């Protein structure tokens, strides 16, 4: 009897320990006791969540063009990608207003445990309505994409877990038994030669990971992995041209030496969806926004609506 009780207690302890290891800690929600303070303007969404944002460029009531910018992995609304790479003269000439925002769980935006690939589009719609951007505005974003078999082995495993066993994502990226995501840990092997040169020259003061993950890595980075590389409710290759009458256009810029999002992925997308205007940069890496003059070229192409 004593042996049976001991075995049952041991199994119970191991089960409890495993549950605690797999279960992520609750997020430290901004503005709540123990959470980071709210310092940014925020809008309240229909479901009660708050979305933090930051405005740049010309005032929206005088701007000719309004742009919503979607930040990438390990970043937030403070991402300086657009405005710091444009001179005031170019901003004035193009007449642009830009709003950046924290995606759910990042920065000062409330987490969304029900997040899906589609839900972010609805958040952007509510943000635009809340700020009064009108019926026509542009959406820009960067990063988030993987060509699975070209990743570092440790990133292949991280994506396997996110896709097939999302409930293990937190444990996998916090355990010390095996190498976890090389993108999260920012291994040098995930950067191209151009990336290393550009970051050392222009990017020393732009590390936003601390601000981006202040509510916890699970509701920001780990949920990004589960959503971005999990099972989607639609196939992106089935998307149709949203601008059949040429009232707008979709553009995709890609460096052919990108180690984080290999070029083979974007070439495939451009081949399957020929209505996308595809721009490939020889020798380009992942941090293309640091390439002198590139952001200005991107904006001019986007705003004129053609190639």
């Amino acid at each position: 009897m004593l042996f049976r009780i001991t075995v049952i207690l041991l199994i119970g302890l191991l089960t409890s320990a495993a549950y605690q290891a797999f279960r992520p800690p609750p997020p430290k929600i901004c503005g709540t006791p123990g959470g980071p303070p709210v310092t940014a303007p925020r809008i309240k969404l229909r479901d009660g969540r708050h979305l933090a944002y930051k405005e740049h460029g010309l005032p929206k009531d005088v701007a000719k063009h309004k742009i919503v910018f979607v930040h990438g992995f390990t970043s937030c609304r403070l991402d300086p990608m657009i405005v710091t790479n444009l001179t005031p003269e170019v901003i004035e000439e193009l007449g642009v207003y830009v709003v950046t925002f924290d995606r759910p769980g990042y920065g000062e935006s409330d987490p969304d445990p029900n997040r899906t690939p589609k839900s972010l589009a609805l958040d952007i719609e509510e943000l635009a309505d809340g700020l009064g951007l009108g019926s026509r505005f542009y959406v820009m974003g960067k990063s988030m994409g993987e060509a699975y078999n070209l990743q570092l082995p440790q990133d292949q495993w991280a994506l396997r877990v996110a896709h097939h066993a999302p409930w293990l994502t937190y444990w996998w990226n916090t355990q010390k038994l095996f190498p976890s995501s090389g993108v999260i840990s920012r291994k040098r092997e995930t950067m191209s030669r151009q990336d290393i040169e550009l970051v050392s020259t222009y990017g020393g003061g732009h590390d936003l990971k601390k601000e981006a993950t202040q509510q916890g890595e699970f509701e920001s980075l780990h949920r990004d992995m589960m959503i971005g590389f999990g099972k989607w409710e639609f196939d992106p290759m089935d998307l149709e041209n949203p601008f059949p009458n040429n009232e707008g256009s979709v553009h995709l810029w890609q460096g052919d030496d990108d180690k984080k999002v290999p070029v083979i992925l974007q070439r495939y997308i451009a081949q399957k969806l020929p209505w996308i205007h595809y721009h490939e940069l020889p020798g380009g890496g992942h941090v293309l926004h640091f390439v002198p003059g590139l952001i200005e070229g991107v904006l001019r192409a986007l705003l004129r609506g053609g190639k």
Side-chain angles (χ1 to χ4, degrees), residues 159-180:
L159 297 184
R160 284 190 186 104
V161 170
H163 185 81
H164 296 290
W167 54 277
L168 277 176
T169 302
Y170 169 76
W171 174 80
W172 185 265
N173 287 285
T174 55
Q175 52 77 34
K176 306 300 180 184
L177 300 175
F178 314 103
S180 57

Side-chain angles (χ1 to χ4, degrees), residues 10-24:
L10 181 60
I11 292 174
L13 289 173
L14 291 174
T15 301
S16 176
Y19 175 75
Q20 293 299 324
F22 295 157
R23 183 185 183 187

